[in-house]
Amino acid sequence: MERRDFLKLASMAGLGVVAAGALSRDAVAAGPYAGPLWVHIHASGGWDPTSLCDPKGAMSEEEQKTREAMNRSYLHEAIGTAGNLQYAPVGGNDAFFKKHYSKLLIINGIDTGTNSHDAGVRNTWCGTLREGKPGFAALVAGVHGGALPMGFISNGGYDTTANVVAVTRVPDTGVLQRLAYPNVVDPSNENRETYHTDATMTRILEARQARHAARLEQQRLPHVKQAMSTLFTSRVGQNELKQLIQYLPAEFERASLRRQAQVALAAYRAGICVSANLSVGGFDTHGNHDDNHIPRLTEICDGIDFVLTAAEEQGIADRIVIVVGSDFGRTPGYNEGNGKDHWNITSMMLAGAGITGNRVIGATDERHNPLDVDPVTLQPKEGGVRIKPGHIHKALRKLAGIADDPLVQRFPLSEEEDLPIFG
């Protein structure tokens, strides 16, 4: 495959090709990654925790008919319970929470500090309202997988990297096959007709390697050598993609989140992925909130269930960490169009390795205003600490073991206290 053809295909696939200066750390030869896979699921548009994991039902049928009702879809007395968790009795919540409550950590009453989509997404996924900062998914991939071909996969959400790692977007698995098997005329065809013989392809690769080594020897600037090596790895590193293809399923799921998860899990099992952004939209329900929003929440729960179930089936359940969040929450009460508008208070859900389940941290009052918590016990306490995304990200960095890494220390979260969110 010629360079221009590779770059064209890479552009079509959304594959990141790193240019000079794009990586902040020395590129090193990386073996298969064996740490945890960090799966981030983004509910794009601003979800409604009161219809999910922080339930606030109407107090009476009369109240349900008013615009001030917290939720018209259920009464307070119908709120469901699974272990220590409470959930709204709508959509697929009952089956989801009863199946997974022992694995779930719920964090309620998180103050994003904004009603802006861009700022809310940024704060939720990188722990600060400041622009240009890398998300946690990029940081953890930068530390553990900066030299991996698909260290950070993104299907949407917040994927700003601040140049700590290349981001890979894979909207079409067919393009992946063409990149993995450049010598095959049509990878989807069973006859596997090739352009060249194996012997010829071996000679081509040897010639490329010799040319690369000669040109590398002529360079004296470290950042130029790094960029050249990264580009060379991108051009000839089809072996990793072949491994990925081997782990992809014969048939892809129809649901978007499930398909995204299948690629992420395959890349992880191939040893070439550290973190992945999964994303589903439709949550910005300013009109007909209940009818439009609840099915989207069911889709989110189905995606989480799929990742947890697939990880168990593939024997990697103890190496998966799932973090679920959104831009912000939805207002208490409804607008004139039966919708709910932007509300800065939200929730997050987590599960997986290092996460103690069947726990709820944080709380809100009957109108979904946040309650402060004791910084030691995390129980509601007047005059305590208001939970913010920065608190969660400081804890995530410690959980991932990257808090003291020089790369991560370039992006401090010193404005927030340390809270024992993960024990």
Side-chain angles (χ1 to χ4, degrees):
M1 177 182 290
E2 295 298 327
R3 176 180 178 180
R4 64 177 179 272
D5 295 329
F6 173 83
L7 293 174
K8 180 179 179 181
L9 278 175
S11 175
M12 290 169 58
L15 295 174
V17 178
V18 186
L23 291 177
S24 60
R25 315 184 78 189
D26 290 337
V28 295
Y33 173 68
L37 171 65
W38 298 84
V39 179
H40 304 80
I41 303 179
H42 177 59
S44 180
W47 68 359
D48 183 5
T50 70
S51 293
L52 184 65
C53 57
D54 191 9
K56 310 288 180 185
M59 301 307 295
S60 66
E61 293 182 359
E62 289 72 25
E63 182 183 311
Q64 277 184 304
K65 302 173 184 178
T66 68
R67 286 178 54 186
E68 289 72 30
M70 283 297 302
N71 279 286
R72 291 172 173 167
S73 54
Y74 66 96
L75 295 173
H76 175 78
E77 62 190 32
I79 289 175
T81 301
N84 297 321
L85 312 186
Q86 289 189 319
Y87 59 88
V90 298
N93 290 351
D94 186 67
F96 172 76
F97 282 97
K98 286 183 177 177
K99 180 178 180 180
H100 295 298
Y101 75 90
S102 63
K103 304 172 186 176
L104 293 172
L105 168 63
I106 306 297
I107 306 178
N108 291 326
I110 304 169
D111 188 353
T112 65
T114 183
N115 288 333
S116 162
H117 286 294
D118 289 344
V121 172
R122 183 167 59 246
N123 203 4
T124 293
W125 294 112
C126 71
T128 179
L129 288 168
R130 299 175 184 174
E131 296 183 4
K133 305 299 182 182
F136 174 77
L139 282 178
V140 72
V143 172
H144 294 303
L148 295 175
M150 296 177 68
F152 174 32
I153 297 175
S154 179
N155 295 274
Y158 186 78
D159 53 18
T160 296
T161 66
N163 292 333
V164 302
V165 69
V167 59
T168 301
R169 299 181 182 89
V170 190
D172 183 355
T173 54
V175 174
L176 275 179
Q177 287 185 310
R178 293 180 63 191
L179 288 169
Y181 301 100
N183 191 41
V184 178
V185 176
D186 183 2
S188 63
N189 194 313
E190 293 182 359
N191 65 24
R192 310 288 285 182
E193 180 184 359
T194 61
Y195 294 106
H196 306 289
T197 66
D198 290 343
T200 299
M201 286 301 296
T202 298
R203 290 196 298 271
I204 291 174
L205 180 58
E206 289 174 348
R208 284 179 173 176
Q209 291 173 332
R211 182 177 62 181
H212 171 66
R215 291 183 175 179
L216 204 62
E217 183 64 27
Q218 298 172 0
Q219 296 297 330
R220 294 294 179 265
L221 296 176
H223 74 277
V224 175
K225 286 189 172 184
Q226 173 184 307
M228 289 175 63
S229 295
T230 302
L231 179 58
F232 181 76
T233 300
S234 298
R235 291 181 61 197
V236 300
Q238 289 95 0
N239 286 339
E240 292 85 356
L241 289 176
K242 290 177 182 177
Q243 290 177 297
L244 169 64
I245 299 298
Q246 291 176 1
Y247 287 110
L248 287 174
E251 295 185 8
F252 279 87
E253 297 281 344
R254 298 187 65 180
S256 174
L257 274 182
R258 290 185 170 216
R259 289 198 309 272
Q260 296 172 36
Q262 285 178 306
V263 174
L265 291 171
Y268 175 66
R269 293 180 67 198
I272 61 174
C273 180
V274 176
S275 62
N277 280 1
L278 316 185
S279 179
V280 61
F283 288 90
D284 199 18
T285 47
H286 293 280
N288 296 320
H289 172 79
D290 292 353
D291 291 341
N292 295 325
H293 201 96
I294 292 173
R296 300 281 73 76
L297 291 174
T298 299
E299 187 173 353
I300 282 280
C301 291
D302 178 73
I304 301 169
D305 173 69
F306 179 82
V307 173
L308 292 173
T309 302
E312 287 186 10
E313 293 173 349
Q314 297 173 19
I316 56 175
D318 60 340
R319 291 184 283 151
I320 301 289
V321 184
I322 301 174
V323 185
V324 191
S326 188
D327 314 24
F328 34 64
R330 313 303 299 184
T331 50
Y334 293 75
N335 59 30
E336 293 182 354
N338 296 322
K340 287 189 174 185
D341 300 317
H342 299 176
W343 187 247
N344 58 300
I345 307 306
T346 189
S347 297
M348 296 181 74
M349 301 197 300
L350 302 95
I355 308 293
T356 301
N358 196 23
R359 295 176 63 214
V360 179
I361 294 174
T364 56
D365 63 18
E366 66 278 0
R367 298 302 295 175
H368 204 222
N369 295 299
L371 302 179
D372 293 344
V373 300
D374 185 289
V376 177
T377 67
L378 300 182
Q379 296 300 311
K381 176 184 177 182
E382 187 174 352
V385 174
R386 177 171 293 192
I387 298 176
K388 299 178 182 177
H391 293 117
I392 299 167
H393 279 267
K394 290 192 79 171
L396 280 172
R397 292 180 179 187
K398 289 186 176 181
L399 179 67
I402 64 173
D404 296 326
D405 188 277
L407 182 149
V408 177
Q409 290 185 337
R410 288 168 44 195
F411 308 98
L413 296 171
S414 55
E415 64 268 24
E416 310 297 359
E417 305 89 339
D418 286 313
L419 298 182
I421 291 174
F422 301 116

